[in-house]
């Protein structure tokens, strides 16, 4: 675990920003992309289930 340096507040801010960036990049973006693609697929599937497959 990263120990925060209490002597330099600028270092604390940089570490907090890096933690927030890592959270966004490694957790938030993958979760949002997977859930949005899954939701889009579910919507398409529901449309095809009720309206039938679109003809060409």
């Amino acid at each position: 675990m990263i120990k925060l340096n209490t002597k330099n507040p600028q270092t604390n801010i940089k570490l907090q920003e890096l933690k927030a960036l890592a959270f966004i990049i490694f957790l938030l973006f993958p979760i949002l992309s997977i859930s949005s693609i899954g939701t889009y697929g579910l919507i398409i599937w529901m449309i095809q289930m009720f309206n039938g497959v679109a003809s060409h």
Side-chain angles (χ1 to χ4, degrees):
M1 178 172 223
I2 298 174
K3 203 171 195 188
L4 296 177
N5 184 5
T6 56
K7 294 180 183 178
N8 190 354
Q10 190 70 18
T11 306
N12 287 344
I13 293 172
K14 287 182 181 181
L15 284 174
Q16 289 175 350
E17 287 178 353
L18 283 174
K19 285 181 182 180
L21 180 65
F23 171 76
I24 290 170
I25 291 173
F26 294 112
L27 287 176
L28 189 62
F29 282 167
I31 290 171
L32 287 176
S33 63
I34 290 169
S35 63
S36 63
I37 291 169
T39 303
Y40 178 73
L42 179 67
I43 290 170
I44 296 298
W45 179 65
M46 294 296 284
I47 289 172
Q48 289 181 353
M49 190 171 85
F50 289 114
N51 293 334
V53 180
S55 60
H56 291 277

